[in-house]
């Protein structure tokens, strides 16, 4: 999206709706027909980027029948989340949401509802289904999902946002996803 590129390159406050229509090669009227203001454009950018993390689980109906297949799906989900949140575009989304949420709280709520909250919901449903088949350990699915996410990310996102560490390697991403998955899979 042209707007997101401008936000990333020049910052939210330095980007005007005129800049967006010029970059996107659309009329102001068309842009305003879709978005009430620049904050609505930002909210749409955030929603689009946050949705990318859930893709591996969205097609996961029905739940895999074996522990190994379920573990593979959970690792794929964890890898997808980490690859998405560690990508420079996602870090830009987080920074923009943080910077603008004081002025427009719905920006932060958009990121929360389309990102973490939506992923949590999908994961909770998968955990419930896995528990019904004896593939996932017993416990409150919401607590287990939160624990999975905590093991997966730990302090990674905050350290990336503060630019005090480099993005993780593919090997580290997979190791984190495997460690998070191991917290859920019931013993054989």
């Amino acid at each position: 999206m042209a707007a997101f590129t401008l936000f990333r390159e020049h910052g939210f406050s330095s980007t005007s709706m005129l800049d967006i229509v010029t970059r996107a090669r659309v009329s102001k009227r068309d842009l305003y027909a879709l978005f009430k203001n620049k904050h609505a454009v930002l909210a749409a950018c955030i929603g689009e980027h946050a949705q990318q993390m859930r893709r591996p689980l969205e097609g996961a109906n029905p739940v895999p029948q074996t522990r190994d297949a379920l573990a593979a799906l959970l690792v794929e989900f964890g890898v997808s989340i980490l690859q998405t949140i560690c990508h420079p575009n996602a870090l830009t989304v987080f920074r923009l949401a943080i910077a603008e949420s004081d002025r427009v709280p719905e920006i932060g709520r958009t990121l929360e509802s389309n990102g973490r909250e939506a992923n949590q919901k999908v994961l909770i449903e998968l955990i419930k289904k896995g528990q019904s088949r004896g593939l996932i350990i017993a416990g409150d699915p919401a607590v287990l999902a939160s624990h999975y996410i905590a093991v997966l990310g730990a302090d990674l996102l905050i350290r990336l946002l503060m630019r005090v560490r480099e993005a993780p390697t593919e090997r580290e991403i997979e190791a984190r996803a495997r460690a998070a998955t191991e917290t859920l899979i019931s013993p054989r």
Side-chain angles (χ1 to χ4, degrees):
M1 180 183 263
F4 183 77
T5 302
L6 288 166
F7 295 152
R8 186 182 64 234
E9 291 172 358
H10 305 288
F12 180 80
S13 59
S14 297
T15 300
S16 68
M17 290 294 269
L18 180 58
D19 295 330
I20 295 169
V21 299
T22 301
R23 176 73 64 97
R25 295 185 177 130
V26 297
S27 71
K28 268 189 173 181
R29 183 170 35 127
D30 289 343
L31 183 64
Y32 279 106
L34 294 171
F35 303 103
K36 181 173 90 172
N37 55 37
K38 190 168 63 165
H39 285 100
V41 174
L42 177 58
C45 291
I46 288 170
E48 179 183 322
H49 281 84
Q51 183 182 22
Q52 294 171 4
M53 290 182 278
R54 288 187 304 284
R55 288 197 178 124
L57 287 188
E58 286 176 340
N61 252 334
V63 173
Q65 297 296 312
T66 67
R67 281 177 182 78
D68 290 343
L70 181 57
L73 177 63
L74 286 165
V75 168
E76 182 184 358
F77 178 61
V79 166
S80 176
I81 287 174
L82 289 176
Q83 285 175 336
T84 301
I85 67 170
C86 294
H87 191 278
N89 285 349
L91 295 172
T92 297
V93 165
F94 283 110
R95 288 184 185 110
L96 288 168
I98 291 165
E100 294 304 314
S101 62
D102 276 347
R103 283 184 285 281
V104 184
E106 57 266 14
I107 295 296
R109 286 192 291 272
T110 297
L111 179 57
E112 175 69 5
S113 65
N114 288 305
R116 192 201 63 78
E117 196 174 274
N119 283 324
Q120 191 99 349
K121 182 179 176 185
V122 169
L123 183 57
I124 288 168
E125 288 307 308
L126 180 64
I127 289 170
K128 287 177 183 177
K129 291 174 184 175
Q131 285 175 328
S132 72
R133 291 198 169 98
L135 303 175
I136 292 184
I137 62 172
D140 180 334
V143 171
L144 293 173
S146 292
H147 187 67
Y148 173 92
I149 298 297
V151 171
L152 185 66
D155 66 347
L156 178 62
L157 182 58
I158 192 75
R159 293 179 71 214
L160 289 169
L161 289 170
M162 293 187 322
R163 294 184 171 100
V164 296
R165 75 154 286 169
E166 296 295 317
T169 64
E170 289 299 316
R171 176 178 273 161
E172 181 185 352
I173 286 173
E174 184 158 339
R176 284 173 172 267
R178 287 192 184 289
T181 297
E182 288 171 8
T183 68
L184 296 179
I185 299 297
S186 67
R188 295 181 190 250

